[in-house]
């Protein structure tokens, strides 16, 4: 352990399995000495998350579906009872109907637009409001976003619109909580093959495109996102808030296809 998170405790939301970005972050934080609590969404995921929590000696803070306020409250009541105070929260949650993560954005339905925004955007605000009460000694809140917030990416559609709103939320929350020394930041991760990503149309093509065209000529790993999260959640980034930090092998800096990139 590098000790960066020694004495710090916090909540990580969004572990679905051992390929989740949230799991990469959980491992990096535990390695650095953090005490961690995990939530899971429903009984099906409990079976996967429970053994993972065991691996890190993490507290299982229970079921949380962010569309159900009572389950968010229950999680924070559990944290209040166990720890009283917390230092960090990771929000690695997003959802959209996969039928609308393909084809044209203009065909997005009102129902899925609302659901996508509720789960992928409002949840950060709902969670931050509860976290603020337990972050009596300052804190760091981190969410996960994607380049589709900034530029149009194929099939990302309503999720791109949601990520743009999520990134704006990070800035507003950073201002609201700044005077309590609570920081709010986002990591804009490059494409990674996870459960959520498998819902996006032509995801393999998008992954390959990034590998051929990112400055580092490869895709990013959950371990690397974990290391950058460690920076944003530890005192190493004490002067950083309201930031969207790209962890994407540099892809966001590139203006066009590399001349030597193969056709896919
Ligand atoms: P994942 O499928 O492992 O994680 C998504 C998580 O969201 C799951 O744990 C799921 O339970 C949770 N979730 C969905 N709806 C929920 C609800 N109603 N209540 C509570 N939890 C809910 O996939 P991931 O790729 O690790 O996704 C984590 C975050 O990273 C997401 O915000 C995603 O948009 C973002 N992200 C992913 C990529 C990528 O390429 N995989 C790139 C950039 C950003």
């Amino acid at each position: 352990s590098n000790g960066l998170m020694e004495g710090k405790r916090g909540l990580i939301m969004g572990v679905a399995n051992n390929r989740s970005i949230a799991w990469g972050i959980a491992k990096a934080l535990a390695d650095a000495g953090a005490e961690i609590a995990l939530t899971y969404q429903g009984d099906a995921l409990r079976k996967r998350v429970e053994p993972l929590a065991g691996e890190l000696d993490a507290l299982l803070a229970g079921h949380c579906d962010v569309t159900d306020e009572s389950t968010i409250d229950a999680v924070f009541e559990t944290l209040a009872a166990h720890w009283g105070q917390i230092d960090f929260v990771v929000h690695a949650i997003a959802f959209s109907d996969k039928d609308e993560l393909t084809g044209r954005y203009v065909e997005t339905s009102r129902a899925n637009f609302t659901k996508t925004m509720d789960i992928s955007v409002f949840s950060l605000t709902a969670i931050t409001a509860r976290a603020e009460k337990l972050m009596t000694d300052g804190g760091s809140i981190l969410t996960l976003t994607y380049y589709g917030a900034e530029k149009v990416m194929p099939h990302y559609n309503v999720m791109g619109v949601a990520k743009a709103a999520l990134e704006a939320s990070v800035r507003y929350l950073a201002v609201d909580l700044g005077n309590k020394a609570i920081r709010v930041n986002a990591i804009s991760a490059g494409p990674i093959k996870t459960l959520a990503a498998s819902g996006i149309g032509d995801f393999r093509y998008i992954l390959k495109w990034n590998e051929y065209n990112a400055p580092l000529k490869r895709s990013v790993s959950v371990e690397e996102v974990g290391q950058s999260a460690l920076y944003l959640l530890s005192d190493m980034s004490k002067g950083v808030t309201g930031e969207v930090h790209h962890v994407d092998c540099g892809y966001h800096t590139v203006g066009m296809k590399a001349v030597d990139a193969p056709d896919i």
Side-chain angles (χ1 to χ4, degrees):
S1 153
N2 58 34
L4 267 182
M5 298 297 287
E6 217 67 65
K8 289 198 192 290
R9 297 188 284 219
L11 174 66
I12 301 183
M13 307 179 81
V15 177
N17 56 44
N18 62 4
R19 287 181 298 139
S20 294
I21 294 175
W23 177 242
I25 295 173
K27 280 194 298 180
L29 293 182
D31 249 16
E35 259 186 275
I36 288 165
L38 300 179
T39 58
Y40 51 83
Q41 184 197 3
D43 274 338
L45 291 183
R46 180 188 186 138
K47 290 195 198 81
R48 297 201 175 271
V49 177
E50 208 161 23
L52 294 173
E55 274 182 46
L56 302 184
D57 274 327
L59 173 67
L60 211 52
H63 158 70
C64 184
D65 182 325
V66 293
T67 62
D68 178 351
E69 296 262 328
S70 70
T71 67
I72 309 178
D73 283 329
V75 167
F76 281 88
E77 277 157 26
T78 300
L79 296 183
H82 272 77
W83 291 340
Q85 170 264 340
I86 62 170
D87 302 289
F88 65 87
V89 172
V90 175
H91 170 276
I93 291 171
F95 179 82
S96 187
D97 181 345
K98 79 183 202 3
D99 293 342
E100 298 193 3
L101 295 175
T102 184
R104 303 201 314 155
Y105 167 70
V106 70
E107 282 158 30
T108 304
S109 65
R110 182 181 300 261
N112 185 50
F113 184 95
T114 306
K115 189 171 188 185
T116 302
M117 294 295 274
D118 186 22
I119 297 175
S120 316
V121 185
F122 180 70
S123 62
L124 176 67
T125 299
I127 288 159
T128 298
R130 271 93 172 171
E132 180 183 15
K133 299 199 180 79
L134 295 186
M135 289 183 162
T136 49
D137 194 22
S140 180
I141 296 171
L142 179 68
T143 187
L144 272 300
T145 185
Y146 178 59
Y147 190 55
E150 300 168 60
K151 298 286 177 188
V152 175
M153 298 299 279
H155 306 306
Y156 206 56
N157 298 353
V158 62
M159 192 55 86
V161 174
K163 292 302 193 191
L166 181 72
E167 293 180 12
S169 306
V170 165
R171 293 184 282 270
Y172 278 89
L173 293 170
V175 169
D176 284 351
L177 278 65
N179 62 358
K180 295 186 173 166
I182 301 169
R183 303 182 290 106
V184 186
N185 294 291
I187 284 179
S188 184
I192 300 173
K193 201 175 169 351
T194 62
L195 191 62
S198 65
I200 299 164
D202 290 320
F203 184 76
R204 282 167 52 89
Y205 181 94
I206 293 165
L207 197 63
K208 274 279 163 224
W209 179 277
N210 274 262
E211 287 170 8
Y212 290 143
N213 295 290
L216 298 182
K217 301 294 177 206
R218 59 178 181 78
S219 54
V220 76
S221 66
V222 297
E223 286 75 20
E224 289 168 332
V225 174
Q227 292 303 309
S228 294
L230 179 54
Y231 158 72
L232 287 169
L233 294 167
S234 73
D235 291 342
M236 293 288 287
S237 62
K238 236 178 161 178
V240 180
T241 195
E243 182 76 331
V244 178
H245 181 59
H246 294 85
V247 182
D248 64 349
C249 294
Y251 183 79
H252 73 287
T253 62
V254 165
M256 69 170 271
K257 179 177 174 295
V259 173
D260 59 355
D263 291 326
I264 329 169

